[in-house]
Amino acid sequence: MSRNFFPSATRWSSGSSSCSMSIVVRSVVGCLLMLHLYSLICQSDIQNKEIDTSMSRHPLLLKLEEVEEENIKMPRPRRRSPRAAKRKPRRPTAVIDEFLDESSQIRHIFFPDMKTSIDPTKDAGNDSFFYYPGRIWLDTEGNPIQAHGGGILFDERSRTYYWYGEYKDGPTYHAHRKGAARVDIIGVGCYSSKDLWTWKNEGLVLAAEGKNETHDLHRSNVLERPKVIYNNKTGKYVMWMHIDNANYTKASVGIAVSDSPTGPFDYLYSQRPHEFDSRDMTIFKDDNGIAYIIYSSVDNSELHIGPLNEEYLNVTRVVTRILVGQHREAPALFKHEGIYYMITSGCTSWAPNKALAHAAKSILGPWETLGNPCIGGNKVVRFTTFFSQSTYVFPFPGLPGFFIFMADRWNPANLRDSRYVWLPLTLGGAADQPLEYTFGFPFWSRVSIYWHKRWRLPDILREKK
């Protein structure tokens, strides 16, 4: 844009120059005041909507937003010999250390045993339909559900929920001494449900390749974070996933398709989207049918977002870089009232860390960071995302503003025993942090994920399905 606002031939006196400068200053101030007023009006509208929504909510839904505390008692320090204590003084043990310690005396708090498992096939009376974050969750055959790093597809035609995820029912090992924990590829598991609580095992919808060592799905490689969406134009179910080799240097995405939500899915190929490395990823289908891929890139230092083509089988040339230099991964994107929201995790390998919520008026950005969405528990619980990592946010049909936050509580010593953390997520109230792109006046609400030792969907919600 040219900086010459007036014709160069025009001559100005010092008085007129001073006058014009005053007009410019007043105009700028006026614009800022108008922007401030507009922001306040928008905030007022949002607050009024929130008041109307809260007044119409069922008491059981309001109960899900109550703060529930968590008190984790640290175990007594193990005895040490005087010589060992003198040679290396003991440092205080952090809760996160106990979480990562396979021999911890309080491991049962983070990974309860089979005796406390969730078994929807048994009539539990008043305890039915309760989610217990961190407990073993059994399918209708009585086996632990294997759907890690996954997501939910609600199939309109069958009115059925399908839960896809990594089938990690194998031994955990490291490719080399300092390599990441991994299991051999078994495939992508699929479970179906009518109530989001009782899950039937539909088997492996995408299986590993056992013989061809050059194949992306050979068991010696890595398959993570599978997500499935339906293409209304082609009538195909399309799966995208993170594909990697044992030392995580391939950093690609894989694509598979099927005529049925229960597969089998035909694996097509892998690629580096937009010629960038890609690790933790997800896909998102917008209201207008356009689908997007969101993935961690540039050695996990930033996220990339771009639309897929009409068939959902490839990326387009459009891509935008967001959260540059912030080292975020495990994106889980959702939408409410025209605003896009996203939960991300920090990059600390298998160790849990603080989640952040983000929002944008356009899916391609700019994206604002709203702060830590976790509420309840205690400081350690909130700053470790309830000892879990985000994978998906599922909007509950029929109740705008209510979502289910899906996360994995990873067990790096035994990945097959990783657990699921499902918690209620709501939108409402002012965001935590001032936002740079809107001059500190956000046009969106706070994202809140509430900790509960146990919770269930209100009866009125299950009746609406």
Side-chain angles (χ1 to χ4, degrees):
M1 182 182 293
S2 172
R3 294 181 179 273
N4 297 322
F5 297 101
F6 304 101
S8 58
T10 305
R11 301 182 64 182
W12 296 83
S13 65
S14 61
S16 61
S17 176
S18 175
C19 180
S20 64
M21 183 59 71
S22 176
I23 293 174
V24 170
V25 171
R26 290 178 181 177
S27 299
V28 171
V29 172
C31 289
L32 290 175
L33 289 175
M34 290 295 292
L35 180 61
H36 188 175
L37 180 61
Y38 176 69
S39 300
L40 292 176
I41 292 173
C42 290
Q43 282 295 99
S44 178
D45 289 342
I46 291 174
Q47 291 173 357
N48 289 336
K49 289 180 181 179
E50 290 167 358
I51 292 173
D52 293 339
T53 302
S54 63
M55 290 178 66
S56 62
R57 284 179 176 172
H58 192 278
L60 286 177
L61 184 56
L62 294 177
K63 184 176 180 61
L64 295 179
E65 298 180 343
E66 294 178 358
V67 176
E68 188 171 333
E69 297 301 325
E70 181 77 31
N71 182 24
I72 300 176
K73 294 183 178 180
M74 296 291 288
R76 292 182 179 181
R78 294 186 176 92
R79 291 184 178 181
R80 305 174 68 202
S81 67
R83 180 178 297 180
K86 185 177 181 180
R87 182 173 63 251
K88 188 175 181 180
R90 182 190 300 276
R91 66 178 179 85
T93 303
V95 176
I96 190 67
D97 295 329
E98 294 293 337
F99 173 80
L100 296 172
D101 183 3
E102 189 177 7
S103 61
S104 171
Q105 301 175 53
I106 60 172
R107 187 169 180 78
H108 63 280
I109 295 177
F110 310 111
F111 298 96
D113 60 24
M114 184 66 87
K115 295 178 182 179
T116 64
S117 62
I118 306 169
D119 189 352
T121 63
K122 295 181 179 179
D123 185 5
N126 292 331
D127 287 334
S128 294
F129 294 99
F130 273 98
Y131 301 105
Y132 290 83
R135 289 192 184 183
I136 296 173
W137 198 347
L138 305 181
D139 61 21
T140 55
E141 297 174 357
N143 299 315
I145 294 174
Q146 289 288 343
H148 308 285
I152 300 286
L153 168 72
F154 179 67
D155 186 50
E156 294 284 352
R157 297 188 297 179
S158 62
R159 308 298 296 175
T160 302
Y161 301 95
Y162 292 96
W163 181 5
Y164 303 90
E166 307 159 32
Y167 205 93
K168 286 186 176 295
D169 196 19
T172 299
Y173 62 92
H174 295 72
H176 49 85
R177 185 175 181 181
K178 294 185 179 180
R182 60 175 297 278
V183 300
D184 284 340
I185 293 180
I186 296 177
V188 177
C190 175
Y191 296 81
S192 63
S193 176
K194 293 289 186 179
D195 58 16
L196 289 171
W197 193 65
T198 305
W199 295 95
K200 175 187 175 183
N201 186 0
E202 299 289 351
L204 292 176
V205 295
L206 181 67
E209 167 60 43
K211 297 180 179 180
N212 184 358
E213 295 183 1
T214 65
H215 197 282
D216 287 339
L217 300 184
H218 186 263
R219 58 177 179 267
S220 62
N221 291 324
V222 172
L223 186 164
E224 296 176 338
R225 299 189 173 271
K227 305 293 188 296
V228 176
I229 53 177
Y230 178 71
N231 189 304
N232 298 80
K233 178 181 177 180
T234 65
K236 299 284 188 179
Y237 295 86
V238 185
M239 178 189 299
W240 285 64
M241 69 213 87
H242 170 209
I243 293 293
D244 228 316
N245 49 16
N247 57 9
Y248 283 83
T249 57
K250 186 177 180 68
S252 301
V253 294
I255 302 97
V257 296
S258 175
D259 294 323
S260 167
T262 56
F265 280 76
D266 296 322
Y267 187 78
L268 301 181
Y269 58 88
S270 66
Q271 62 168 278
R272 282 195 165 191
H274 313 106
E275 299 183 357
F276 284 99
D277 60 302
S278 171
R279 292 183 173 83
D280 277 10
M281 51 72 61
T282 191
I283 49 176
F284 173 78
K285 182 179 176 181
D286 211 341
D287 302 331
N288 57 9
I290 298 176
Y292 297 82
I293 182 173
I294 305 96
Y295 59 95
S296 296
S297 192
V298 190
D299 293 327
N300 286 351
S301 66
E302 60 192 45
L303 291 178
H304 293 178
I305 299 181
L308 306 181
N309 64 10
E310 291 186 356
E311 293 77 25
Y312 302 166
L313 301 181
N314 207 338
V315 297
T316 65
R317 294 184 177 181
V318 178
V319 63
T320 184
R321 302 164 60 201
I322 66 169
L323 308 183
V324 176
Q326 297 189 33
H327 296 274
R328 308 301 298 175
E329 64 179 9
L333 196 146
F334 56 106
K335 186 179 182 180
H336 178 62
E337 294 186 348
I339 300 297
Y340 299 89
Y341 297 89
M342 181 167 57
I343 306 294
T344 65
S345 162
C347 299
T348 55
S349 187
W350 297 105
N353 56 67
K354 182 176 71 172
L356 288 178
H358 316 268
K361 297 182 70 175
S362 166
I363 193 170
L364 296 179
W367 282 81
E368 301 279 10
T369 298
L370 308 183
N372 186 353
C374 299
I375 296 178
N378 56 35
K379 185 176 180 180
V380 173
V381 172
R382 291 190 297 272
F383 277 68
T384 56
T385 317
F386 316 114
F387 296 99
S388 67
Q389 185 182 43
S390 53
T391 183
Y392 202 73
V393 174
F394 181 69
F396 198 90
L399 193 70
F402 177 76
F403 300 81
I404 296 177
F405 171 72
M406 298 172 57
D408 294 280
R409 179 172 291 177
W410 298 115
N411 182 354
N414 185 12
L415 288 173
R416 76 170 81 185
D417 190 38
S418 298
R419 309 298 177 84
Y420 309 105
V421 174
W422 286 24
L423 291 168
L425 182 153
T426 62
L427 296 169
D432 285 356
Q433 301 176 188
L435 310 174
E436 53 185 279
Y437 291 109
T438 53
F439 297 93
F441 300 101
F443 295 106
W444 36 72
S445 301
R446 173 186 166 83
V447 180
S448 301
I449 305 170
Y450 295 89
W451 169 251
H452 293 275
K453 295 179 182 178
R454 78 168 197 163
W455 69 283
R456 69 175 179 177
L457 297 173
D459 295 335
I460 56 169
L461 301 189
R462 293 201 302 273
E463 293 167 1
K464 286 184 178 181
K465 295 197 298 295

